[in-house]
Structures are given as structure tokens and as C-alpha cells.
């Protein structure tokens, strides 16, 4: 039995650990740090799950951002009574994490400006994605317009929290 790990195995373990950590952080921030809005059919939900999602995407990249968002918020939907939303959340929030991470990785320029652009791109994905998800679930083109302000508030608040912090966090992050 070989008790030593190769550098490649160590990297895989670190990546798996980071993915699991950010899935858990996204889930917990969505589950326990939220406000249910008394609007529309099921109401809306403002939560801080986007904070660890953006941190994951900006520090560890598009793959970790996509995994944290898709699985963390998808799991929340599955166990919290929002089950019908889980497949939509998995795709939409996974795409948000992927796109935010991709922009943060590839776009040149000042990190604060690039990360702000990444948050705006993720916001567009969220608004468009959940608008069409609600059209499918509610069978109505007007009702989904009511959830746009809550979606905007949710992502903007996360951006305000994450963009100033992520530079400091990235300098201290465990590399995978």
C-alpha cells in the first residue's frame, strides 16, 4: 500500500474539498440568511447565497463557481419547498457561476471593474433565466415581471459585499 499522494491526487482532493465547501456555504447562506417577500404567487426570496457563489467563481474560477451555484442552490430548492424550481435553479445559477468565473478569469483590466462586470453579467443571466422559468411554471408572460426587482436586489447586494472583499480573499486563498 502506497501511503503517499502524488501531486495530481493532492490537487484533485483540494479541488473536491473546495467544491464541497462552496456548495455547503452557498446552501447555508441561501437557507439561513434570507427574507421571504410577500409578492406574487409563491412570493420571492432574497438570500445571500450569491455571496459564496461569487467568491467561489472569482477566486477558484468558472468550474467552482458553476458547481457551487448549481448544487448549493439546487439542493436548497429540493429540501425547502421550492422543489419545482430545482431544475431551473441548477441550470440558471450554475450558468451564473460559470459566466462570472469566466469573465473574472479572462477579462483584462482592474479586478474590481472586471468583477463588477461579471456580477452584472450574472444578474442578466438570473433575470432572463428566472423570467422564462416563471413563464413555464406559471403559464403567464406578465406575472414573472414581479420577481425582477427581488432578483436584482439579491445579486446587487451580493456584488456590493463580494467585489471589495475578493481581492483580499484571493491573496490568502488555498491554491488548487
Amino acid at each position: 500500500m502506497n501511503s503517499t499522494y502524488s501531486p495530481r491526487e493532492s490537487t484533485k482532493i483540494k479541488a473536491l474539498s473546495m467544491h464541497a465547501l462552496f456548495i455547503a456555504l452557498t446552501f447555508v447562506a441561501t437557507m439561513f440568511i434570507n427574507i421571504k417577500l410577500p409578492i406574487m404567487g409563491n412570493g420571492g426570496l432574497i438570500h445571500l447565497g450569491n455571496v459564496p457563489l461569487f467568491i467561489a467563481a472569482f477566486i477558484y474560477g468558472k468550474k467552482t463557481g458553476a458547481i457551487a451555484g448549481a448544487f448549493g442552490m439546487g439542493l436548497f430548492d429540493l429540501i425547502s419547498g421550492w422543489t419545482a424550481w430545482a431544475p431551473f435553479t441548477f441550470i440558471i445559477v450554475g450558468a451564473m457561476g460559470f459566466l462570472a468565473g469566466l469573465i473574472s478569469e479572462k477579462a483584462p483590466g482592474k479586478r474590481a471593474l472586471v468583477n463588477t462586470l461579471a456580477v452584472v453579467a450574472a444578474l442578466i443571466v438570473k433575470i432572463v433565466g428566472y423570467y422564462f422559468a416563471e413563464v413555464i411554471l406559471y403559464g403567464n408572460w406578465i406575472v414573472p415581471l414581479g420577481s425582477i426587482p427581488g432578483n436584482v436586489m439579491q445579486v446587487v447586494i451580493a456584488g456590493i459585499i463580494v467585489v471589495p472583499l475578493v481581492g483580499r480573499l484571493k491573496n490568502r486563498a488555498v491554491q488548487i
Side-chain angles (χ1 to χ4, degrees):
M1 182 166 99
N2 187 357
S3 64
T4 61
Y5 290 105
S6 72
R8 184 177 176 139
E9 288 172 341
S10 178
T11 301
K12 285 181 181 180
I13 291 169
K14 285 181 184 177
L16 181 62
S17 298
M18 280 301 149
H19 294 158
L21 174 67
F22 279 103
I23 289 168
L25 289 171
T26 302
F27 171 77
V28 167
T30 306
M31 182 75 139
F32 298 110
I33 309 171
N34 66 55
I35 300 168
K36 188 167 180 356
L37 300 175
I39 58 172
M40 309 317 283
N42 284 330
L45 190 68
I46 303 272
H47 59 76
L48 291 183
N50 292 303
V51 171
L53 161 71
F54 287 139
I55 291 171
F58 296 157
I59 292 176
Y60 293 106
K62 60 187 178 271
K63 183 177 179 182
T64 305
I67 289 170
F71 287 98
M73 288 193 205
L75 181 61
F76 164 79
D77 283 352
L78 283 174
I79 68 168
S80 66
W82 301 82
T83 308
W85 292 92
F88 299 107
T89 295
F90 187 86
I91 294 167
I92 295 164
V93 182
M96 286 173 57
F98 184 86
L99 184 60
L102 179 67
I103 291 170
S104 183
E105 286 174 13
K106 302 290 183 185
K110 291 188 174 193
R111 290 294 89 199
L113 185 59
V114 169
N115 290 339
T116 301
L117 174 65
V119 169
V120 170
L123 174 61
I124 292 167
V125 169
K126 184 175 201 98
I127 290 171
V128 172
Y130 278 111
Y131 176 82
F132 285 108
E134 288 187 49
V135 166
I136 292 167
L137 290 173
Y138 297 142
N140 185 304
W141 291 90
I142 304 301
V143 170
L145 295 173
S147 68
I148 292 174
N151 288 336
V152 170
M153 188 180 338
Q154 195 176 100
V155 174
V156 168
I157 289 169
I160 289 169
I161 293 168
V162 171
V163 169
L165 289 177
V166 78
R168 291 183 207 125
L169 293 174
K170 193 166 188 164
N171 292 336
R172 297 177 181 176
V174 173
Q175 297 302 311
I176 55 173

